Amino acid sequence: MSETPLTKDDFTTRDEPVRLFGDWLADAQESEPNDPTAVALATVDQDGLPDVRMVLLKGFDRDGFVFYTNFESAKGVELLGSMKAAMCFHWKSLRRQVRLRGPVEIVSDAEADAYFASRPRGSRIGAWASKQSRPLESRFALEKSVAEYTARHAVGTIPRPPHWSGFRLKPQTIEFWHDRPFRLHDRVVFTADGKGGWNKTRLYP
Ligand SMILES: Cc1cc2nc3c(=O)[nH]c(=O)nc-3n(C[C@H](O)[C@H](O)[C@H](O)COP(=O)(O)O)c2cc1C
């Protein structure tokens, strides 16, 4: 096992979690072999049974953390049912974890349209062709669907499908974790104070 890497700064002294998250993501963009924005997204179904899968974070700021998906997928249905979620980033190369929990809201049509338009053409076709999370009879059925939508959108712009958009998780808590020797890790949780500020608490590892 290699030594715990030295932190660039002592994050436990920081008072603003969104900027701290941005600094850690920037570090991960330097050090992770791929997908530094990949994040585990947890939801619950209507029976309260948890579900989790990876998504890509596509934006974040003081208003929340944004990802995009098919609203008719399992996660889409679960999110629309509860309007709550949790996220967990783990950057292995940095031995860092960030956890977020809170309500979600749907991004505006303008925001979703702008992001959809920025995606490669193949991904835009794919959003139309995939009935995400529903049974697929064969690979051929998917390729046929892609061919049909490719022909349908052969010319002109490809509109955003009505069932495809983004959610913004508005964190009530953001917890930062960094590995330290002998499992005596550093943990700091920020809790939204409801007035645009944050209360900070250190936690036992
Ligand atoms: C690294 C990674 C990133 C992913 N990003 C997304 C994403 O941004 N949006 C999405 O809908 N699915 C994404 N997926 C696929 C999901 O993990 C999942 O398989 C799919 O969305 C269906 O999930 P559901 O059945 O819970 O709705 C990603 C998978 C991986 C491994």
Side-chain angles (χ1 to χ4, degrees):
M1 272 292 182
S2 59
E3 288 284 304
T4 301
L6 290 173
T7 44
K8 284 183 186 159
D9 60 333
D10 179 3
F11 79 93
T12 63
T13 64
R14 301 280 296 264
D15 289 319
E16 206 291 317
V18 179
R19 275 200 298 278
L20 175 56
F21 176 85
D23 290 347
W24 278 25
L25 181 59
D27 290 344
Q29 276 158 341
E30 295 292 316
S31 67
E32 288 295 306
N34 56 44
D35 290 340
T37 62
V39 56
L41 172 78
T43 53
V44 286
D45 71 12
Q46 59 185 4
D47 298 324
L49 186 66
D51 207 350
V52 64
R53 83 292 288 156
M54 304 304 292
V55 295
L56 294 178
L57 185 76
K58 289 297 171 183
F60 71 94
D61 58 22
R62 290 168 58 91
D63 289 334
F65 290 66
V66 175
F67 56 93
Y68 288 88
T69 194
N70 185 316
F71 277 37
E72 295 170 354
S73 67
K75 84 179 84 48
V77 171
E78 287 162 5
L79 287 163
L80 292 170
S82 71
M83 295 308 278
K84 292 181 189 127
M87 285 180 169
C88 183
F89 294 85
H90 178 213
W91 295 301
K92 291 188 175 137
S93 62
L94 297 168
R95 299 167 192 268
R96 286 174 176 169
Q97 170 180 254
V98 177
R99 297 164 63 183
L100 305 98
R101 303 175 77 204
V104 296
E105 63 180 25
I106 298 169
V107 304
S108 71
D109 284 346
E111 192 173 349
D113 287 344
Y115 172 63
F116 189 75
S118 77
R119 302 180 85 212
R121 191 170 184 87
S123 305
R124 283 178 277 155
I125 295 285
W128 280 101
S130 172
K131 299 191 184 89
Q132 193 179 53
S133 307
R134 278 143 295 167
L136 172 65
E137 117 200 16
S138 64
R139 183 80 203 175
F140 176 73
L142 176 60
E143 285 166 6
K144 188 161 159 260
S145 178
V146 169
E148 281 166 9
Y149 281 104
T150 303
R152 205 178 291 186
H153 297 294
V155 288
T157 55
I158 303 172
R160 177 171 58 87
H163 57 262
W164 192 99
S165 186
F167 289 97
R168 175 174 282 105
L169 188 157
K170 299 177 83 68
Q172 285 173 342
T173 57
I174 309 181
E175 185 203 315
F176 294 83
W177 178 104
H178 186 246
D179 175 271
R180 295 288 301 266
F182 306 113
R183 302 272 174 252
L184 299 177
H185 314 300
D186 278 329
R187 295 178 67 188
V188 174
V189 62
F190 293 88
T191 305
D193 67 7
K195 295 177 280 185
W198 299 92
N199 296 315
K200 178 172 129 181
T201 311
R202 272 188 98 127
L203 302 176
Y204 278 95

